[in-house]
Amino acid sequence: DVSQKYLPSISKGAFKDKRVELVIGDGVKFVKNYKNFFDVIILDLSDPWGPARKVISLRFYQGVKRALKKNGTISVQGGCLFSQIKLASIIFHRLKRVFSSVVIHEAPVLLYDVGESNFTVAANFSLRKVTFKEIEKKFKKLKLDLKYYKPKIHFASTVLPDYLIRELKI
């Protein structure tokens, strides 16, 4: 409520979109109620310590897969690759056990002290086979006025330095 009231320039009316349902609650319990329902599930979760450990569990990701439609996609905010490499690796490898295609995207997120975050995206179709032209066509059709994202960044954000690839064991 505070975000909607005092930071409307960030959401740009997203909360009013009839396709959006904002759910704040136990994600593990939530996905159990759905099967073959969602096109996309975006997980911007608290750090997975204590009771929140379940949100990066293999069992939870299996539940998310059941909740997604056949060609559904999941995106998991995976922390900072520079200071939370172990967490990013755990998320990647668990998603890889559930989905056939997993890709890590890295982006600047100036809100965090290190200035970056990663988003691990998974699906049961080849994410690497989606072409620039396909993304560009869909992006143009949406007619979005975004500050950061554009199709070129979509692909550039998947390029990781070799030392991170080695540390992530991907």
Side-chain angles (χ1 to χ4, degrees), residues 60-78:
F60 176 62
Y61 292 148
Q62 290 166 336
V64 167
K65 181 179 178 179
R66 276 189 305 278
L68 286 168
K69 291 180 181 176
K70 181 183 176 189
N71 286 323
T73 306
I74 177 178
S75 175
V76 181
Q77 188 273 105

Side-chain angles (χ1 to χ4, degrees), residues 24-40:
I24 300 171
D26 186 328
V28 176
K29 290 179 182 175
F30 181 82
V31 297
K32 287 180 182 179
N33 297 318
Y34 294 91
K35 184 175 182 181
N36 193 32
F37 188 81
F38 297 102
D39 295 311
V40 176

Side-chain angles (χ1 to χ4, degrees), residues 132-147:
F132 173 77
K133 286 187 179 191
E134 289 174 281
I135 297 283
E136 189 175 45
K137 182 179 175 182
K138 288 179 181 183
F139 184 73
K140 284 181 180 178
K141 187 177 177 183
L142 292 171
K143 298 179 182 173
L144 298 172
D145 179 28
L146 303 178
K147 290 182 180 181

Side-chain angles (χ1 to χ4, degrees), residues 96-111:
K96 192 70 178 151
R97 289 179 62 189
V98 177
F99 296 91
S100 62
S101 184
V102 182
V103 176
I104 294 178
H105 292 261
E106 186 177 16
V109 180
L110 302 178
L111 180 65

Side-chain angles (χ1 to χ4, degrees), residues 27-28 31 43 45 54-64:
V28 176
V31 297
L43 300 173
L45 307 164
K54 295 176 185 176
V55 297
I56 64 162
S57 71
L58 185 62
R59 185 178 203 147
F60 176 62
Y61 292 148
Q62 290 166 336
V64 167

Side-chain angles (χ1 to χ4, degrees), residues 104-105 127-136 149-159:
I104 294 178
H105 292 261
L127 293 164
R128 296 281 187 191
K129 287 187 179 179
V130 177
T131 67
F132 173 77
K133 286 187 179 191
E134 289 174 281
I135 297 283
E136 189 175 45
Y149 181 87
K150 60 184 179 181
K152 285 183 181 179
I153 287 176
H154 179 90
F155 291 95
S157 68
T158 66
V159 179

